[in-house]
Amino acid sequence: FDGIGLDFIEGKKTLELIEKNGFPCDKVLFAGVVNGKNIWRNNYEKTVELLKNLQNKSINTVISTSCSLLHIPYTLKNEVKLSDTYKNHFSYASEKLVELNEIKKIIETEDYCNLPEYTANIKLFSKERSGCNTNVKEKVNALSEKDFTRLPVFSEREKIQKEEFKLPLLPTTTIGSFPQTSDVRQTRASYKKANISETDYEKFMKSKIAECIEFQENIGLDVLVHGEFERNDMVEYFGECLDGYIFTEKAWVQSYGTRCVKPPVVWGDISRAKPMTVKWSTYAQSLTEKPVKGMLTGPVTILNWSFPREDISLKESAYQIALAIREEVLDLEASGIKIIQIDEAALREKLPLRKCDWNKEYLDWAIKAFRLVHSGVKSETQIHTHMCYSEFADIIEDIDNMDADVITFEASRSDLTLLDVLKAKKFRTEVGPGVYDIHSPRIPTVEEIKSVINKMLSKVSYNKLWINPDCGLKTRGNEETVQSLKNLVKATKEIREENNL
Ligand code: GLN
Ligand code: ZN
C-alpha cells in the first residue's frame, strides 16, 4: 500500500510511536487530527503544532479526520434554534471538512499567525466558557476514598436486607420500563409542545403508573417498578433535568442498524437542577405495600451516550454526573424508596482497545463513579444495577466491585455462558441474568422459563438468584408483555414449590 491513516485523537500514543519507530519515507501518512466522533471545533493551535512536528520529520502528510464521519451529525446549517454562544464551538461533519481546508491553508502559510481563520480559532479557545460551576469543581476535588466506599460491607448488608425485605427466594422483578404504547408517546409529545397542561400530563402519567402497579400486583411480581412512561430515553430524560447539559434539534447519529439517537451535549459543569424522579417513584410506592424500585441511569452510561466535553477529562465529567445522581439517590431514600436501581447499560462501551489501558484509562474511574452514586445510602437500602449485552466475562471482577447489592443483565441470548464465569469468579453480587429475551415479541412458555431457571440454579446459589426479563420492556407491546410476565411468575412459583424453596 501507499498510504496509511492513523488516528491522532483516540490514538493517544500515535505520535509517540512515530517518534520512536519513525515512519516509512515511501508512504503517505493520513493524519487523523480532526475528531470524527465529537461535535466540537478543532483547536488549531494544538493541531498545527502536531502537524509541524510531523513536517519536521519530513513525513509526507495528508490532513484528515480521525475516522469516518458517520458518528457525527451532518451539518450545523439546520441547527437553527441553538444560540451562537454554543454553536460557535460546534462542528458537525460538513464543518469538519471546512476545518480540514483551513488547517491546510494555515500549514501552508508562513505567517499563519495573522490569518483570520487562525486568530478567530485562537480567540474562541482562549475565551472562558460559560457554564462553569466552582461549587461542583470543589466538590469533585474534595472527593476521597471514603466517598467511594459503601459501608457496611456487602456480606453484612445482604443479611440486613434479607431481614428488611423478607422477599421469597428467587424474587421476581422487571428491569424498569413497560411498553411505551402510542398513547404514552403521544401524550409526552403533546406535553412537550405545550398542547396539554402540566396538570393533565401528570394525571395521565399517574393513571399509567397506577395501571402498571395494579397489573404487577395482580400477577404476583415481588419487586415492582413504576414503568418509566415519563421517559423518552434513559439518557436524554436525565440530561434535561441536569444543569450543564444542552440539547440540539438536529444532531442525530446512527446508534445501530436503522436506529438513531440524538445524544445530549455536555456543555458546562454538571449539577442537579431539581429532583428528577422522586415524584413518580413516590407516587408509585404510595399505591402498594410491595417495594417499588426507584429507577435512575448511572453516570457512566449518561456520559457514554452524550457528546462529552473535551476541555476537561471524562473522569471529571463522570464524577460531576455521579454527584448529581447521588443527590437523587439520597432524595429517593429520604422519600421512602427502599430499592433503587441505577442502570449502567453502556458501562462496557468505552473500554479502551488496549487491554493494558483498561484500568488506568477507564475502569478505575468508571467503577468509582458508580460507587460514588450509592456509597451514601443506609445499609437496608438495596442498590440494583442493570447492564445490557453480556460481553463482560473479562471485566466480571470489576462489575462485582461496583458493589451493588443486585445486578440484572442480559445473558439469555448468549446461551447463559456467563453463568460459568460467575461461578468461577465467585461473583458475590446477587444476580438476575434474564430468563427470556425481550428483543422479540415471542412469548416464552412456562416450561421454557422453568428450564432456564433450573439451568441457572445449577450455577448460581438459590440465595442469590433473581428472576426477571433480560432488559426493559419499552419496545414491546402490551399483549406479549402481559403473557410473558404471567408465565415468568408462574414458572418461578412452580420452581419454588418443586424445590421446597
Ligand atoms: N431501566 C431501563 C428500561 O427498563 C433500562 C434500559 C436499558 O437497559 N437499556 O428501559
Ligand atoms: Zn438492558
mmCIF file of all heavy atoms in Angstrom, residues 219-253:
data_model
loop_
_atom_site.group_PDB
_atom_site.id
_atom_site.type_symbol
_atom_site.label_atom_id
_atom_site.label_comp_id
_atom_site.label_asym_id
_atom_site.label_seq_id
_atom_site.Cartn_x
_atom_site.Cartn_y
_atom_site.Cartn_z
ATOM 1 N N ILE A 219 -50.445 -10.002 38.996
ATOM 2 C CA ILE A 219 -49.796 -11.225 38.539
ATOM 3 C C ILE A 219 -48.792 -11.761 39.562
ATOM 4 O O ILE A 219 -48.266 -12.847 39.402
ATOM 5 C CB ILE A 219 -49.120 -11.072 37.159
ATOM 6 C CG1 ILE A 219 -47.961 -10.084 37.223
ATOM 7 C CG2 ILE A 219 -50.117 -10.694 36.083
ATOM 8 C CD1 ILE A 219 -47.070 -10.209 35.995
ATOM 9 N N GLY A 220 -48.511 -10.981 40.620
ATOM 10 C CA GLY A 220 -47.712 -11.513 41.725
ATOM 11 C C GLY A 220 -46.210 -11.312 41.620
ATOM 12 O O GLY A 220 -45.439 -12.083 42.178
ATOM 13 N N LEU A 221 -45.774 -10.258 40.916
ATOM 14 C CA LEU A 221 -44.335 -9.932 40.942
ATOM 15 C C LEU A 221 -43.968 -9.466 42.353
ATOM 16 O O LEU A 221 -44.810 -8.946 43.085
ATOM 17 C CB LEU A 221 -44.031 -8.828 39.924
ATOM 18 C CG LEU A 221 -43.969 -9.275 38.456
ATOM 19 C CD1 LEU A 221 -44.180 -8.094 37.521
ATOM 20 C CD2 LEU A 221 -42.636 -9.962 38.143
ATOM 21 N N ASP A 222 -42.710 -9.652 42.745
ATOM 22 C CA ASP A 222 -42.318 -9.332 44.119
ATOM 23 C C ASP A 222 -41.793 -7.911 44.280
ATOM 24 O O ASP A 222 -42.073 -7.245 45.261
ATOM 25 C CB ASP A 222 -41.237 -10.316 44.588
ATOM 26 C CG ASP A 222 -41.742 -11.737 44.551
ATOM 27 O OD1 ASP A 222 -42.839 -11.983 45.097
ATOM 28 O OD2 ASP A 222 -41.066 -12.600 43.950
ATOM 29 N N VAL A 223 -40.963 -7.478 43.344
ATOM 30 C CA VAL A 223 -40.418 -6.110 43.413
ATOM 31 C C VAL A 223 -40.924 -5.368 42.179
ATOM 32 O O VAL A 223 -40.717 -5.815 41.047
ATOM 33 C CB VAL A 223 -38.878 -6.128 43.470
ATOM 34 C CG1 VAL A 223 -38.321 -4.725 43.356
ATOM 35 C CG2 VAL A 223 -38.407 -6.776 44.777
ATOM 36 N N LEU A 224 -41.621 -4.255 42.423
ATOM 37 C CA LEU A 224 -42.329 -3.599 41.326
ATOM 38 C C LEU A 224 -41.547 -2.400 40.767
ATOM 39 O O LEU A 224 -40.563 -1.951 41.364
ATOM 40 C CB LEU A 224 -43.716 -3.144 41.800
ATOM 41 C CG LEU A 224 -44.540 -4.142 42.621
ATOM 42 C CD1 LEU A 224 -45.967 -3.605 42.811
ATOM 43 C CD2 LEU A 224 -44.594 -5.529 41.991
ATOM 44 N N VAL A 225 -42.031 -1.884 39.644
ATOM 45 C CA VAL A 225 -41.438 -0.687 39.032
ATOM 46 C C VAL A 225 -42.579 0.271 38.676
ATOM 47 O O VAL A 225 -43.739 -0.158 38.621
ATOM 48 C CB VAL A 225 -40.660 -1.044 37.739
ATOM 49 C CG1 VAL A 225 -39.474 -1.940 38.058
ATOM 50 C CG2 VAL A 225 -41.574 -1.691 36.701
ATOM 51 N N HIS A 226 -42.234 1.540 38.415
ATOM 52 C CA HIS A 226 -43.333 2.471 38.072
ATOM 53 C C HIS A 226 -43.616 2.470 36.577
ATOM 54 O O HIS A 226 -44.652 2.932 36.144
ATOM 55 C CB HIS A 226 -43.046 3.878 38.603
ATOM 56 C CG HIS A 226 -42.046 4.638 37.812
ATOM 57 N ND1 HIS A 226 -40.693 4.372 37.868
ATOM 58 C CD2 HIS A 226 -42.184 5.654 36.913
ATOM 59 C CE1 HIS A 226 -40.056 5.194 37.057
ATOM 60 N NE2 HIS A 226 -40.935 5.983 36.459
ATOM 61 N N GLY A 227 -42.684 1.982 35.761
ATOM 62 C CA GLY A 227 -42.957 1.789 34.331
ATOM 63 C C GLY A 227 -42.244 2.737 33.376
ATOM 64 O O GLY A 227 -42.249 2.512 32.176
ATOM 65 N N GLU A 228 -41.654 3.827 33.928
ATOM 66 C CA GLU A 228 -40.853 4.770 33.108
ATOM 67 C C GLU A 228 -41.610 5.426 31.942
ATOM 68 O O GLU A 228 -41.009 5.754 30.917
ATOM 69 C CB GLU A 228 -39.581 4.080 32.566
ATOM 70 C CG GLU A 228 -38.649 3.595 33.662
ATOM 71 C CD GLU A 228 -37.355 2.954 33.137
ATOM 72 O OE1 GLU A 228 -36.908 3.293 32.036
ATOM 73 O OE2 GLU A 228 -36.797 2.112 33.856
ATOM 74 N N PHE A 229 -42.917 5.640 32.104
ATOM 75 C CA PHE A 229 -43.692 6.226 30.999
ATOM 76 C C PHE A 229 -43.298 7.666 30.695
ATOM 77 O O PHE A 229 -43.504 8.163 29.594
ATOM 78 C CB PHE A 229 -45.194 6.161 31.327
ATOM 79 C CG PHE A 229 -45.656 4.766 31.612
ATOM 80 C CD1 PHE A 229 -45.957 4.368 32.903
ATOM 81 C CD2 PHE A 229 -45.745 3.835 30.588
ATOM 82 C CE1 PHE A 229 -46.360 3.068 33.172
ATOM 83 C CE2 PHE A 229 -46.152 2.530 30.847
ATOM 84 C CZ PHE A 229 -46.446 2.153 32.140
ATOM 85 N N GLU A 230 -42.731 8.351 31.692
ATOM 86 C CA GLU A 230 -42.366 9.770 31.509
ATOM 87 C C GLU A 230 -41.080 9.933 30.703
ATOM 88 O O GLU A 230 -40.697 11.043 30.376
ATOM 89 C CB GLU A 230 -42.219 10.434 32.887
ATOM 90 C CG GLU A 230 -40.937 10.116 33.660
ATOM 91 C CD GLU A 230 -40.898 8.714 34.276
ATOM 92 O OE1 GLU A 230 -41.848 7.939 34.042
ATOM 93 O OE2 GLU A 230 -39.927 8.390 34.979
ATOM 94 N N ARG A 231 -40.395 8.821 30.400
ATOM 95 C CA ARG A 231 -39.072 8.946 29.766
ATOM 96 C C ARG A 231 -39.099 8.662 28.279
ATOM 97 O O ARG A 231 -39.530 7.605 27.855
ATOM 98 C CB ARG A 231 -38.083 7.960 30.402
ATOM 99 C CG ARG A 231 -37.928 8.286 31.847
ATOM 100 C CD ARG A 231 -36.931 7.410 32.525
ATOM 101 N NE ARG A 231 -37.205 7.575 33.952
ATOM 102 C CZ ARG A 231 -36.587 6.965 34.916
ATOM 103 N NH1 ARG A 231 -35.629 6.114 34.626
ATOM 104 N NH2 ARG A 231 -36.911 7.195 36.154
ATOM 105 N N ASN A 232 -38.582 9.601 27.523
ATOM 106 C CA ASN A 232 -38.356 9.355 26.111
ATOM 107 C C ASN A 232 -37.178 8.413 25.947
ATOM 108 O O ASN A 232 -37.201 7.477 25.165
ATOM 109 C CB ASN A 232 -38.071 10.683 25.392
ATOM 110 C CG ASN A 232 -37.198 11.616 26.245
ATOM 111 O OD1 ASN A 232 -36.840 11.305 27.386
ATOM 112 N ND2 ASN A 232 -36.859 12.748 25.692
ATOM 113 N N ASP A 233 -36.153 8.653 26.762
ATOM 114 C CA ASP A 233 -34.892 7.962 26.578
ATOM 115 C C ASP A 233 -34.172 7.997 27.923
ATOM 116 O O ASP A 233 -34.288 8.958 28.659
ATOM 117 C CB ASP A 233 -34.104 8.764 25.522
ATOM 118 C CG ASP A 233 -32.686 8.291 25.345
ATOM 119 O OD1 ASP A 233 -31.826 8.612 26.197
ATOM 120 O OD2 ASP A 233 -32.433 7.631 24.350
ATOM 121 N N MET A 234 -33.450 6.933 28.231
ATOM 122 C CA MET A 234 -32.875 6.832 29.574
ATOM 123 C C MET A 234 -31.713 7.793 29.816
ATOM 124 O O MET A 234 -31.256 7.925 30.954
ATOM 125 C CB MET A 234 -32.461 5.392 29.892
ATOM 126 C CG MET A 234 -31.345 4.856 29.044
ATOM 127 S SD MET A 234 -31.078 3.089 29.317
ATOM 128 C CE MET A 234 -30.290 3.081 30.917
ATOM 129 N N VAL A 235 -31.208 8.464 28.784
ATOM 130 C CA VAL A 235 -30.156 9.452 28.996
ATOM 131 C C VAL A 235 -30.704 10.863 28.802
ATOM 132 O O VAL A 235 -30.514 11.740 29.637
ATOM 133 C CB VAL A 235 -28.946 9.189 28.077
ATOM 134 C CG1 VAL A 235 -27.993 10.359 28.075
ATOM 135 C CG2 VAL A 235 -28.218 7.935 28.560
ATOM 136 N N GLU A 236 -31.434 11.073 27.703
ATOM 137 C CA GLU A 236 -31.952 12.415 27.431
ATOM 138 C C GLU A 236 -32.816 12.912 28.596
ATOM 139 O O GLU A 236 -32.721 14.075 29.001
ATOM 140 C CB GLU A 236 -32.749 12.428 26.126
ATOM 141 C CG GLU A 236 -32.946 13.838 25.608
ATOM 142 C CD GLU A 236 -33.608 13.893 24.239
ATOM 143 O OE1 GLU A 236 -34.383 12.973 23.899
ATOM 144 O OE2 GLU A 236 -33.369 14.870 23.520
ATOM 145 N N TYR A 237 -33.631 12.014 29.163
ATOM 146 C CA TYR A 237 -34.506 12.412 30.266
ATOM 147 C C TYR A 237 -33.706 13.029 31.413
ATOM 148 O O TYR A 237 -34.069 14.073 31.953
ATOM 149 C CB TYR A 237 -35.297 11.199 30.778
ATOM 150 C CG TYR A 237 -36.190 11.546 31.942
ATOM 151 C CD1 TYR A 237 -37.415 12.166 31.733
ATOM 152 C CD2 TYR A 237 -35.795 11.293 33.259
ATOM 153 C CE1 TYR A 237 -38.230 12.518 32.805
ATOM 154 C CE2 TYR A 237 -36.593 11.639 34.332
ATOM 155 C CZ TYR A 237 -37.809 12.242 34.100
ATOM 156 O OH TYR A 237 -38.608 12.599 35.156
ATOM 157 N N PHE A 238 -32.591 12.375 31.765
ATOM 158 C CA PHE A 238 -31.790 12.893 32.882
ATOM 159 C C PHE A 238 -31.026 14.147 32.461
ATOM 160 O O PHE A 238 -30.920 15.100 33.226
ATOM 161 C CB PHE A 238 -30.857 11.805 33.423
ATOM 162 C CG PHE A 238 -31.623 10.758 34.180
ATOM 163 C CD1 PHE A 238 -32.066 9.608 33.556
ATOM 164 C CD2 PHE A 238 -31.964 10.966 35.498
ATOM 165 C CE1 PHE A 238 -32.824 8.668 34.249
ATOM 166 C CE2 PHE A 238 -32.720 10.034 36.204
ATOM 167 C CZ PHE A 238 -33.144 8.880 35.568
ATOM 168 N N GLY A 239 -30.533 14.142 31.220
ATOM 169 C CA GLY A 239 -29.847 15.323 30.711
ATOM 170 C C GLY A 239 -30.729 16.558 30.871
ATOM 171 O O GLY A 239 -30.275 17.628 31.287
ATOM 172 N N GLU A 240 -32.020 16.387 30.583
ATOM 173 C CA GLU A 240 -32.941 17.530 30.649
ATOM 174 C C GLU A 240 -33.118 18.060 32.064
ATOM 175 O O GLU A 240 -33.519 19.194 32.262
ATOM 176 C CB GLU A 240 -34.300 17.137 30.046
ATOM 177 C CG GLU A 240 -34.274 17.188 28.534
ATOM 178 C CD GLU A 240 -35.493 16.568 27.872
ATOM 179 O OE1 GLU A 240 -36.407 16.122 28.592
ATOM 180 O OE2 GLU A 240 -35.515 16.534 26.627
ATOM 181 N N CYS A 241 -32.872 17.207 33.043
ATOM 182 C CA CYS A 241 -33.031 17.654 34.442
ATOM 183 C C CYS A 241 -31.705 18.084 35.065
ATOM 184 O O CYS A 241 -31.647 18.373 36.257
ATOM 185 C CB CYS A 241 -33.610 16.539 35.291
ATOM 186 S SG CYS A 241 -35.128 15.820 34.687
ATOM 187 N N LEU A 242 -30.628 18.068 34.291
ATOM 188 C CA LEU A 242 -29.315 18.423 34.851
ATOM 189 C C LEU A 242 -28.832 19.756 34.283
ATOM 190 O O LEU A 242 -28.903 19.972 33.075
ATOM 191 C CB LEU A 242 -28.288 17.335 34.516
ATOM 192 C CG LEU A 242 -28.494 15.957 35.157
ATOM 193 C CD1 LEU A 242 -27.541 14.937 34.559
ATOM 194 C CD2 LEU A 242 -28.331 16.022 36.673
ATOM 195 N N ASP A 243 -28.321 20.634 35.155
ATOM 196 C CA ASP A 243 -27.682 21.860 34.675
ATOM 197 C C ASP A 243 -26.346 21.485 34.061
ATOM 198 O O ASP A 243 -25.638 20.636 34.598
ATOM 199 C CB ASP A 243 -27.452 22.826 35.838
ATOM 200 C CG ASP A 243 -28.697 23.632 36.139
ATOM 201 O OD1 ASP A 243 -29.592 23.671 35.265
ATOM 202 O OD2 ASP A 243 -28.794 24.189 37.248
ATOM 203 N N GLY A 244 -25.987 22.165 32.970
ATOM 204 C CA GLY A 244 -24.704 21.877 32.325
ATOM 205 C C GLY A 244 -24.901 21.155 31.003
ATOM 206 O O GLY A 244 -23.993 21.098 30.186
ATOM 207 N N TYR A 245 -26.098 20.595 30.802
ATOM 208 C CA TYR A 245 -26.401 19.921 29.531
ATOM 209 C C TYR A 245 -27.063 20.890 28.561
ATOM 210 O O TYR A 245 -27.824 21.764 28.975
ATOM 211 C CB TYR A 245 -27.371 18.759 29.766
ATOM 212 C CG TYR A 245 -26.663 17.428 29.858
ATOM 213 C CD1 TYR A 245 -26.392 16.841 31.082
ATOM 214 C CD2 TYR A 245 -26.251 16.774 28.701
ATOM 215 C CE1 TYR A 245 -25.726 15.617 31.161
ATOM 216 C CE2 TYR A 245 -25.584 15.558 28.774
ATOM 217 C CZ TYR A 245 -25.332 14.986 29.998
ATOM 218 O OH TYR A 245 -24.674 13.791 30.052
ATOM 219 N N ILE A 246 -26.797 20.743 27.265
ATOM 220 C CA ILE A 246 -27.591 21.451 26.262
ATOM 221 C C ILE A 246 -28.105 20.442 25.236
ATOM 222 O O ILE A 246 -27.586 19.326 25.148
ATOM 223 C CB ILE A 246 -26.803 22.587 25.553
ATOM 224 C CG1 ILE A 246 -25.493 22.075 24.962
ATOM 225 C CG2 ILE A 246 -26.558 23.738 26.485
ATOM 226 C CD1 ILE A 246 -24.755 23.119 24.128
ATOM 227 N N PHE A 247 -29.116 20.857 24.484
ATOM 228 C CA PHE A 247 -29.772 19.938 23.554
ATOM 229 C C PHE A 247 -29.816 20.514 22.158
ATOM 230 O O PHE A 247 -29.997 21.711 21.992
ATOM 231 C CB PHE A 247 -31.196 19.633 24.045
ATOM 232 C CG PHE A 247 -31.154 19.031 25.402
ATOM 233 C CD1 PHE A 247 -31.151 19.831 26.531
ATOM 234 C CD2 PHE A 247 -31.021 17.670 25.548
ATOM 235 C CE1 PHE A 247 -31.037 19.275 27.789
ATOM 236 C CE2 PHE A 247 -30.909 17.104 26.795
ATOM 237 C CZ PHE A 247 -30.922 17.912 27.922
ATOM 238 N N THR A 248 -29.651 19.658 21.191
ATOM 239 C CA THR A 248 -29.697 20.119 19.812
ATOM 240 C C THR A 248 -31.027 19.692 19.206
ATOM 241 O O THR A 248 -31.740 18.880 19.780
ATOM 242 C CB THR A 248 -28.571 19.464 19.002
ATOM 243 O OG1 THR A 248 -28.835 18.057 18.946
ATOM 244 C CG2 THR A 248 -27.222 19.707 19.644
ATOM 245 N N GLU A 249 -31.329 20.259 18.050
ATOM 246 C CA GLU A 249 -32.533 19.812 17.329
ATOM 247 C C GLU A 249 -32.178 18.724 16.339
ATOM 248 O O GLU A 249 -32.970 17.862 16.021
ATOM 249 C CB GLU A 249 -33.060 20.971 16.482
ATOM 250 C CG GLU A 249 -33.960 21.947 17.110
ATOM 251 C CD GLU A 249 -34.210 23.011 16.051
ATOM 252 O OE1 GLU A 249 -33.308 23.857 15.846
ATOM 253 O OE2 GLU A 249 -35.264 22.956 15.416
ATOM 254 N N LYS A 250 -30.964 18.821 15.797
ATOM 255 C CA LYS A 250 -30.675 18.043 14.596
ATOM 256 C C LYS A 250 -29.487 17.078 14.710
ATOM 257 O O LYS A 250 -29.128 16.450 13.730
ATOM 258 C CB LYS A 250 -30.404 19.009 13.421
ATOM 259 C CG LYS A 250 -31.593 19.883 13.062
ATOM 260 C CD LYS A 250 -32.628 19.081 12.306
ATOM 261 C CE LYS A 250 -34.023 19.665 12.298
ATOM 262 N NZ LYS A 250 -34.173 21.021 11.943
ATOM 263 N N ALA A 251 -28.905 16.989 15.905
ATOM 264 C CA ALA A 251 -27.686 16.176 15.990
ATOM 265 C C ALA A 251 -27.978 14.678 16.113
ATOM 266 O O ALA A 251 -27.589 14.013 17.068
ATOM 267 C CB ALA A 251 -26.816 16.650 17.148
ATOM 268 N N TRP A 252 -28.674 14.149 15.121
ATOM 269 C CA TRP A 252 -28.991 12.722 15.106
ATOM 270 C C TRP A 252 -27.785 11.924 14.628
ATOM 271 O O TRP A 252 -27.116 12.308 13.676
ATOM 272 C CB TRP A 252 -30.159 12.448 14.153
ATOM 273 C CG TRP A 252 -31.450 12.985 14.659
ATOM 274 C CD1 TRP A 252 -32.001 14.189 14.354
ATOM 275 C CD2 TRP A 252 -32.345 12.348 15.573
ATOM 276 N NE1 TRP A 252 -33.194 14.345 15.028
ATOM 277 C CE2 TRP A 252 -33.429 13.224 15.781
ATOM 278 C CE3 TRP A 252 -32.330 11.110 16.252
ATOM 279 C CZ2 TRP A 252 -34.492 12.902 16.624
ATOM 280 C CZ3 TRP A 252 -33.393 10.809 17.081
ATOM 281 C CH2 TRP A 252 -34.457 11.704 17.260
ATOM 282 N N VAL A 253 -27.512 10.820 15.288
ATOM 283 C CA VAL A 253 -26.465 9.918 14.816
ATOM 284 C C VAL A 253 -26.977 8.484 14.864
ATOM 285 O O VAL A 253 -27.882 8.151 15.625
ATOM 286 C CB VAL A 253 -25.166 10.021 15.661
ATOM 287 C CG1 VAL A 253 -24.480 11.346 15.442
ATOM 288 C CG2 VAL A 253 -25.456 9.819 17.142
#
